[in-house]
Amino acid sequence: MQLVLKVSILNGIVMGGGAGVSIHGRFRVATENSVFAMPETALGLFPDIGASYFLSRLPGFFGEYVGLTGARLDGAEMRACGLATHFVPSSRLALLEEALYKVNSSDPAVISAVIDKFSLEPYLKDHSAYHWMDVIDKCFSRRTVEEILSALESESTNRADAWISDAIQSLKKASPTSLKISLRSIREGRLQGVGQCLIREYRMVCHVMMGEVSKDFFEGCRAILLDKDKNPKWKPSKLELVNDNMVDQYFSKINDDRWEDIKLPARSNLPATAIAKL
């Protein structure tokens, strides 16, 4: 079997399915045009497509920050936190693609060396939240969403950083149910492999679509995508109204033959170099 290594060139918006088909790849090339985000909590959903796997493996608690707030990251931030393995200016992409096309090798070291020839270390903007990882870790390591929000509000009284106020506003506008299941999903992802994360997330999506606990996803789609009034009416409307039993239901196996767990193919015969690296 000849191993084919995927090189994802992220020269634009990387969200939703676009993130799902690229971030799990071996090589992920960002540019100055890259924009990454997981904005699902604003839609009444949660970061899926294996996001609980790769977000939980970002430095410190940066994954919780990105997953809960839907914060947008540029190419330099993607490279800094590890979502991207390389940064290549868009003006050099055509040359990179040509060089990769000419390489007759499936050796990751060879592929990486080719990309390295066109790569550079990008400048991380002064206002980037990544400069304040100590504050992010302090706030987003808290056990509950309520505690995270309280910690951010406490920090905002001592500093006027825009990213903190943006994070607070994003959390307050997001679906309370989505925030709670998203936090638990990312925390569970820290202890699970990518396959386990995908199976669990699929189960969670099934619960979302069934709408037995909350119909926030349908309301979010209405407010953001259809009517575009950007004024979703979440139910439950407050974090304190979403209890642990409600959250537990999203992680439980569905007792209905029409909603089966996803079954992933065995990967035991794949070489180590085929496994995504973060």
Side-chain angles (χ1 to χ4, degrees):
M1 179 183 70
Q2 183 178 8
L3 175 63
V4 177
L5 292 176
K6 182 172 75 172
V7 178
S8 300
I9 297 178
L10 313 174
N11 187 36
I13 295 175
V14 188
M15 300 181 189
V21 299
S22 59
I23 299 300
H24 295 286
R26 182 66 176 85
F27 298 105
R28 307 172 298 279
V29 181
T31 75
E32 75 279 5
N33 298 321
S34 301
V35 180
F36 173 89
M38 298 299 293
E40 286 81 4
T41 59
L43 274 174
L45 193 58
F46 64 93
D48 55 349
I49 49 86
S52 63
Y53 177 79
F54 64 75
L55 289 179
S56 64
R57 282 157 177 78
L58 298 185
F61 292 86
F62 196 66
E64 278 87 342
Y65 162 68
V66 172
L68 295 182
T69 67
R72 295 191 173 198
L73 307 180
D74 61 22
E77 290 169 316
M78 293 178 67
R79 178 69 185 93
C81 74
L83 284 169
T85 58
H86 298 78
F87 182 97
V88 176
S90 60
S91 60
R92 307 187 73 182
L93 288 180
L95 295 173
L96 170 61
E97 291 179 19
E98 182 180 358
L100 289 171
Y101 181 77
K102 292 179 179 178
V103 173
N104 184 25
S105 174
S106 59
D107 185 343
V110 173
I111 302 299
S112 184
V114 171
I115 303 175
D116 285 342
K117 292 179 182 179
F118 300 90
S119 301
L120 55 80
E121 285 303 316
Y123 171 72
L124 198 59
K125 295 177 181 177
D126 292 340
H127 64 264
S128 171
Y130 200 73
H131 288 300
W132 286 274
M133 278 299 299
D134 57 333
V135 180
I136 287 176
D137 287 349
K138 178 181 177 181
C139 297
F140 285 87
S141 61
R142 302 302 176 94
R143 188 179 64 86
T144 67
V145 180
E146 291 93 332
E147 291 173 353
I148 290 173
L149 183 55
S150 177
L152 285 169
E153 290 176 331
S154 178
E155 288 292 329
S156 69
T157 62
N158 301 319
R159 57 178 72 224
D161 298 325
W163 74 267
I164 294 182
S165 58
D166 289 344
I168 292 172
Q169 290 304 311
S170 295
L171 292 176
K172 288 184 174 181
K173 290 180 180 179
S175 159
T177 302
S178 292
L179 288 173
K180 290 206 170 184
I181 64 175
S182 296
L183 179 60
R184 176 167 166 181
S185 179
I186 296 171
R187 293 282 162 85
E188 289 197 3
R190 289 177 176 271
L191 304 175
Q192 296 176 331
V194 64
Q196 292 172 298
C197 288
L198 288 169
I199 291 172
R200 172 178 44 72
E201 290 173 7
Y202 180 80
R203 183 183 293 178
M204 293 170 66
V205 167
C206 290
H207 281 290
V208 169
M209 298 306 297
M210 291 173 70
E212 292 181 338
V213 180
S214 171
K215 293 180 171 56
D216 277 1
F217 179 54
F218 305 105
E219 173 61 10
C221 288
R222 179 207 64 76
I224 308 299
L225 304 177
L226 299 177
D227 298 340
K228 298 183 180 180
D229 57 37
K230 297 183 180 180
N231 187 30
K233 305 298 183 184
W234 305 125
K235 295 181 181 179
S237 60
K238 298 179 181 179
L239 287 168
E240 56 266 30
L241 298 178
V242 184
N243 59 49
D244 291 343
N245 289 334
M246 295 167 68
V247 173
D248 288 343
Q249 290 187 52
Y250 285 92
F251 295 80
S252 63
K253 182 168 180 147
I254 300 175
N255 189 23
D256 188 330
D257 293 339
R258 296 172 299 176
W259 298 86
E260 295 182 356
D261 277 348
I262 190 172
K263 296 178 176 61
L264 300 176
R267 301 182 62 187
S268 58
N269 61 331
L270 290 180
T273 50
I275 307 301
K277 304 292 184 183
L278 273 173

